[in-house]
Amino acid sequence: MSISAESVKSLREKTGAGILDCKEALQSTNGDFEKAIEYLRKKGIAAAQKRSSRATSAGSIGSYIHAGGKIGVLIEVNCETDFVAKTDDFQELVKNLSMQVAAANPKYVSRDDVPQEEIEREKEIYISQAKDSGKPEKVLEKIAAGKLEKFYESVCLMEQSYIKDADKSVKDLVDSVIAKVGENITVKRFVRFQLGEN
């Protein structure tokens, strides 16, 4: 099946993937645009997973000031080389991540950073709430596990819904840039200041 240059161009604009990848995705899905997007996401995630063990010692510290100077964010995002750190794609990712921190106010980068005591405390609260609402003993753990997932989605940056596209998580956003630049990218740390906060 022949794929038009226009289709490839519009898929590239929508996904940010390379021209050859877009063409391959459209050919593999017989020109179905939505399936091609899904194909590219799966390929990007697979590529990102392959790269996840590579060391990230280069990168950039980004900042973002919002709401007339009432909220400020500093964030460190790492990649493998200075070359990638200077690309527009990487710099845009750093900016978008700092805006995400300003808007969504996560406490941790990922669920691995959440202290075990905090997880146990949250779990106890969820089990207690479920008991109080009359749920049977055998489903309490399951209910608590489901609520813990929601807890991670609210407090962990990588698990939050991306503010500019609620269909994506922040991890999906980072994985899509990893697939595009061909290097591992990690968020090392961030700090969020809000005027008047202790």
Side-chain angles (χ1 to χ4, degrees):
M1 167 178 197
S2 80
I3 303 296
S4 76
E6 271 306 303
S7 301
V8 173
K9 185 179 176 217
S10 65
L11 183 61
R12 179 172 164 71
E13 283 166 4
K14 184 148 175 66
T15 62
I19 291 172
L20 293 176
D21 288 334
C22 289
K23 189 172 183 181
E24 180 190 319
L26 285 163
Q27 284 172 333
S28 299
T29 58
N30 293 321
D32 184 316
F33 206 76
E34 291 307 310
K35 284 184 180 166
I37 291 171
E38 199 175 307
Y39 175 92
L40 285 170
R41 282 188 69 193
K42 284 179 184 164
K43 186 174 178 182
I45 288 165
Q49 283 171 343
K50 272 190 220 158
R51 294 186 180 99
S52 68
S53 62
R54 299 201 324 221
T56 54
S57 53
S60 180
I61 293 176
S63 64
Y64 176 72
I65 306 295
H66 182 71
K70 290 189 173 44
I71 296 174
V73 171
L74 281 175
I75 188 166
E76 180 181 347
V77 184
N78 298 129
C79 57
E80 295 173 43
T81 62
D82 282 337
F83 173 77
V84 163
K86 292 177 180 138
T87 63
D88 291 343
D89 289 322
F90 185 82
Q91 289 300 320
E92 187 183 348
L93 174 67
V94 173
K95 181 175 171 239
N96 286 332
L97 289 171
S98 59
M99 288 169 70
Q100 176 80 23
V101 172
N105 195 10
K107 287 171 68 178
Y108 308 101
V109 173
S110 72
R111 66 173 64 194
D112 297 337
D113 302 325
V114 183
Q116 193 58 40
E117 316 83 79
E118 190 171 345
I119 295 169
E120 294 304 325
R121 191 170 55 246
E122 287 297 318
K123 196 173 168 185
E124 273 177 41
I125 292 168
Y126 302 143
I127 288 175
S128 174
Q129 286 172 342
K131 268 185 194 167
D132 292 349
S133 67
K135 298 283 189 252
E137 198 71 35
K138 63 181 179 216
V139 296
L140 296 180
E141 284 290 326
K142 205 173 195 175
I143 291 169
K147 289 197 173 192
L148 263 179
E149 286 302 313
K150 291 279 179 218
F151 168 74
Y152 291 133
E153 285 169 24
S154 72
V155 300
C156 299
L157 173 65
M158 298 304 280
E159 302 205 19
Q160 289 181 331
S161 286
Y162 178 41
I163 55 170
K164 292 185 176 180
D165 180 355
D167 293 338
K168 271 185 183 174
S169 70
V170 172
K171 185 178 184 325
D172 293 337
L173 170 71
V174 172
D175 284 349
S176 70
V177 179
I178 290 172
K180 199 170 178 184
V181 300
E183 283 194 11
N184 190 20
I185 295 172
T186 55
V187 178
K188 175 126 184 182
R189 57 191 163 167
F190 61 81
V191 63
R192 181 184 186 273
F193 300 97
Q194 187 155 351
L195 201 66
E197 263 186 355
N198 291 329

